[in-house]
Amino acid sequence: MSTHQAPRQLKLGFILHGVGPGWGDWRHPDADPTASTNIDFYLRQAKLAEQGKFDFLFVADSVHITEKSSPHYLNRFEPLTILSAVATHTKNIGLVGTLTVSYSEPYTVARQFASLDHISRGRAGWNVVTSWLSGSAENYGKPAHPPHEVRYRIAAEHLTTVQGLWDSWEDDALVHNKETGQFIDPAKLHTLNHQGEFFSVRGPLNIARSPQGQPVIFQAGASEDGRNFSARYADAFFTEGSTIESSQAYYADIKKRAAAFGRAPHQASVLPALRAIVGATEEEAQALHRQAEGLIRIEDALVALARSFNEHDLTQYPLDGPFPDIAQYGADSNRSSSERIIRTAREENLTLRQAALRYASPRKEFVGTGVQVADAIQRWFLNDAADGFILFEALPYQLDAFITHVVPVLQERGLFRREYEATTLRGNLGLDVPENRNTAARRQAA
Amino acid sequence: MSTHQAPRQLKLGFILHGVGPGWGDWRHPDADPTASTNIDFYLRQAKLAEQGKFDFLFVADSVHITEKSSPHYLNRFEPLTILSAVATHTKNIGLVGTLTVSYSEPYTVARQFASLDHISRGRAGWNVVTSWLSGSAENYGKPAHPPHEVRYRIAAEHLTTVQGLWDSWEDDALVHNKETGQFIDPAKLHTLNHQGEFFSVRGPLNIARSPQGQPVIFQAGASEDGRNFSARYADAFFTEGSTIESSQAYYADIKKRAAAFGRAPHQASVLPALRAIVGATEEEAQALHRQAEGLIRIEDALVALARSFNEHDLTQYPLDGPFPDIAQYGADSNRSSSERIIRTAREENLTLRQAALRYASPRKEFVGTGVQVADAIQRWFLNDAADGFILFEALPYQLDAFITHVVPVLQERGLFRREYEATTLRGNLGLDVPENRNTAARRQAA
């Protein structure tokens, strides 16, 4: 079944959120609707995911809401603060935070993640995003967001500037000789002197080299520009993963692009989103799935769908008519997602209502017993559709169910770790610590 | 001795830092020179300060270093991340973070502090600063920092925008009715629609009303512009407190200004910096003070002094000659500090060397036994020079010594709490939660 020689290890992330990612999840009888700002809930979930040996926690983000936004967008912790709070209550699990390059400064971003990397002793990761909602710009004094292609130029310059700052301090720059009073070796503290199209940053960063040297980079680029960005810069790719076929196509494409940038396959993990629904029996799982679907209101499903179309008002179209011609609203927004939605609607001849509810519901493929869900995961993993998954908790206590029923099956099959390999995110993902560019330059000059 | 009718309670803050605030503190035999990025050291200090019933922890900040910067500037945690990490290991103590308005976005700042306020269940405070080092601008793509007066216009607009965003959500905006599927009451979620000279921000903020409603505002304004800003907006003022006389003058002035803005005296606490050195005996304390002075190198003292003069190079002047004429370099930098240094040097006819070492050394007034230091604190407190103090740990284990020797004396004299009054910073500082402006508007319209 597999084309791989050695047993690869599955990578698993967990989306750390308050109220669930589905638009109706908070309505479940067991759901705490105040979970999104409940620190105890977050600490519980984080510690549980670590017990389950997940590679990392992942905090999503956005910087714009309206009164129509989904509950999990409306009210959420800022990622760096909540991850810092979680850091001291965990020891091994990675801490990946989303932060937009569109409305942030490289110097501040570099500091925040370096600080998190020190606090967590080497477990920080940055999910690099470009904001795609035009409402976001209005919260940051900008009349409109830049075009799609420009956003990725900004992203590349922002990210490489941050990475340059992370190399400001060589590993042994801190001397702290109490006798002589020398605290640092000034030759090992470096300015960056970056002068680019969008940013100019002098440096050095005002925090010492962090345990990972370079925090891990995540990205979710799916468009042409996004894929090239991801393939070149990211250590792991977060994808929507709508079907095994589309994921295989994405997987092949992104690995090829990564190779063209001189990167090894294990340096570029493809991690689709996974909204599993797990029961002790198949009947229980199916009942849970029906319950989740029953919580979704069509008006919420329409707003959810509209996010990929720059929040275009979909209530103006007949619900039970053919899927409307709205491609233009997706073109400069979340392009890859909007194109996929349109393609699916056309191929399956879906009405607007059907397309919206389909989009809002957990997929049937990952509904079942521990063995059934593990089978599906294994199918994707061994057939080059995924190097692992990022789990969303679709209903309350589904993280518990996944750890109880799915993880042991994956472990028994030799697909997933029984113990952490390392205390750093790089270590657990099997990524090396890149040599500091300034140390390398010194070595090459010598 | 006192002019006050009821016994006021002293307010005490603790500067949470790694290597000490003095330029030679890290050279002390007991000092951990790696403390600045040692999370365990920070957690120890934070928990200890809470055992001592301190009102708040205070994390200072700056956004620019050179290879000549002091050890405690060179390498430090980013304030919001370290305070979030500390939050879940403490229950009552306030968490005050410094963040510059010069290089940050109101929407992001509002989120970060609201998030910290939720994580800590109501203990967040923001120390609002305007960056005064021109090197800072070069880390943020700006050729130079704006003039002093413009910086305070930016600060006022930035702060009031953040405060407006903190009122985005009325207290009861979250409805989460599981039956109907209504998550929020849209009438209680408000846009800000701020369009100002420096910022334009639409809102609403994407995090619900935090426990304190409005996190507490700290400021250290000492110049004419700075004092008016502080008096108008800040709940507590951090001052250098060089002598009791200068602090009394500052105290009288700032309280008068605050009153002119319609604020009650208890809403505007004056908190000078305190670098106490406490011993079990007077001899021990004096020996510690001599030890601290002996750790200071003159070259470091010059760089420390230069920070108030926009990092002007002071090595070009004769060390043992009269204090040089460098007022021009301080005018647009840290003006109040530079003016005070020049005034002291002239009044006491100090050489450059003497002025620099004086500036870098702990003051003698707060060196002594627990009773002696408590006497000095009481003298300032009861003679309108201070409403409390912010303690710097001058040497290792001085926080321990302060809590062991000074705090009990202050408690016996009825000047300082034996138990926390509240679990929020507002509660412990005796500040009310201001009514949400949108709720007030609704009430007034009804």
Side-chain angles (χ1 to χ4, degrees), chain A residues 76-78 81 112 139-140, chain B residues 80 99-101 104-118 124-126 128 157-169 192 201 203-211 213-215 217 437:
Chain A
R76 57 179 13 165
F77 286 120
E78 185 277 332
T81 48
Q112 290 175 308
N139 285 331
Y140 288 91
Chain B
L80 270 293
L99 204 154
T100 177
V101 295
S104 68
E105 291 280 353
Y107 196 84
T108 299
V109 173
R111 287 186 77 193
Q112 290 175 309
F113 282 99
S115 194
L116 177 62
D117 208 42
H118 278 289
W126 176 21
V128 181
E157 189 184 329
H158 191 303
L159 171 59
T160 53
T161 304
V162 167
Q163 291 179 318
L165 289 168
W166 285 336
D167 280 351
S168 296
W169 295 62
L192 183 65
V201 181
L205 197 63
N206 59 351
I207 182 166
R209 177 89 160 158
S210 77
Q214 296 279 332
I217 301 300
R437 69 193 65 191

Side-chain angles (χ1 to χ4, degrees), chain A residues 19 26-34 36-41 43 61-68 70-82 84-89 103 105-108 111-113 115-116 118-121 135 137-142 165 169 174-184 186 189 199-208 297 300, chain B residues 19 26-34 36-41 43 61-68 70-82 84-89 103 105-108 111-113 115-116 118-121 135 137-142 165 169 174-184 186 189 199-208 297 300:
Chain A
V19 296
W26 66 274
R27 298 177 64 192
H28 189 279
D30 296 337
D32 170 9
T34 71
S36 295
T37 51
N38 182 346
I39 177 67
D40 293 335
F41 177 79
L43 293 180
D61 199 34
S62 57
V63 292
H64 152 68
I65 60 166
T66 73
E67 74 280 3
K68 288 186 184 167
S70 158
H72 76 286
Y73 293 120
L74 270 171
N75 176 28
R76 57 179 13 165
F77 286 120
E78 185 277 332
L80 270 294
T81 48
I82 189 62
S84 299
V86 162
T88 58
H89 295 269
Y103 310 112
E105 291 280 352
Y107 196 83
T108 299
R111 285 187 78 193
Q112 290 175 308
F113 283 98
S115 194
L116 177 63
H118 278 290
I119 290 170
S120 65
R121 303 199 189 281
E138 296 173 19
N139 285 331
Y140 288 91
K142 309 217 160 109
L165 288 168
W169 295 62
L174 274 168
V175 175
H176 43 67
N177 182 327
K178 288 186 178 182
E179 289 303 309
T180 62
Q182 186 185 23
F183 191 68
I184 57 158
L189 181 67
F199 304 102
S200 81
V201 180
R202 187 174 180 280
L205 197 63
N206 59 351
I207 182 166
R297 301 190 304 177
D300 293 335
Chain B
V19 296
W26 66 274
R27 298 176 64 192
H28 188 278
D30 295 338
D32 171 8
T34 70
S36 295
T37 51
N38 182 344
I39 178 66
D40 293 336
F41 177 78
L43 294 180
D61 198 33
S62 57
V63 292
H64 152 66
I65 60 167
T66 73
E67 75 281 2
K68 289 187 183 168
S70 157
H72 76 286
Y73 293 120
L74 271 171
N75 175 27
R76 56 179 15 165
F77 285 121
E78 186 277 331
L80 270 293
T81 47
I82 189 62
S84 299
V86 163
T88 59
H89 294 269
Y103 310 111
E105 291 280 353
Y107 196 84
T108 299
R111 287 186 77 193
Q112 290 175 309
F113 282 99
S115 194
L116 177 62
H118 278 289
I119 290 170
S120 65
R121 302 197 189 284
E138 295 173 20
N139 286 330
Y140 288 92
K142 308 219 161 107
L165 289 168
W169 295 62
L174 274 168
V175 175
H176 42 71
N177 182 327
K178 288 187 177 181
E179 289 304 309
T180 62
Q182 185 184 23
F183 191 68
I184 57 158
L189 180 67
F199 305 102
S200 82
V201 181
R202 186 174 180 279
L205 197 63
N206 59 351
I207 182 166
R297 300 191 305 178
D300 292 336

Side-chain angles (χ1 to χ4, degrees), chain A residues 152-308:
Chain A
Y152 277 99
R153 283 225 309 282
I154 294 173
E157 188 183 329
H158 191 303
L159 170 59
T160 53
T161 304
V162 167
Q163 291 178 318
L165 288 168
W166 284 336
D167 280 351
S168 297
W169 295 62
E170 294 187 54
D171 289 342
D172 52 354
L174 274 168
V175 175
H176 43 67
N177 182 327
K178 288 186 178 182
E179 289 303 309
T180 62
Q182 186 185 23
F183 191 68
I184 57 158
D185 178 350
K188 293 182 174 169
L189 181 67
H190 300 271
T191 52
L192 183 65
N193 294 320
H194 171 76
Q195 300 275 353
E197 182 181 0
F198 304 103
F199 304 102
S200 81
V201 180
R202 187 174 180 280
L205 197 63
N206 59 351
I207 182 166
R209 178 89 160 158
S210 76
Q212 290 189 113
Q214 296 279 331
V216 177
I217 301 300
F218 282 66
Q219 228 274 330
S223 63
E224 178 68 21
D225 296 324
R227 286 177 190 215
N228 280 334
F229 179 85
S230 287
R232 181 162 183 179
Y233 297 112
D235 302 303
F237 317 124
F238 178 31
T239 73
E240 286 195 83
S242 54
T243 65
I244 189 168
E245 292 78 17
S246 69
S247 286
Q248 284 171 324
Y250 177 83
Y251 190 100
D253 178 73
I254 203 92
K255 296 275 181 179
K256 191 174 147 194
R257 290 179 200 245
F261 286 115
R263 311 187 68 210
H266 79 278
Q267 290 181 308
S269 297
V270 174
L271 306 172
L274 174 63
R275 279 172 71 187
I277 293 188
V278 182
T281 63
E282 187 171 352
E283 294 66 38
E284 190 195 337
Q286 295 298 338
L288 284 167
H289 185 251
R290 283 191 301 276
Q291 193 177 21
E293 285 187 314
L295 298 173
I296 303 167
R297 301 190 304 177
I298 180 64
E299 57 265 44
D300 293 335
L302 284 183
V303 180
L305 197 68
R307 266 182 90 79
S308 296

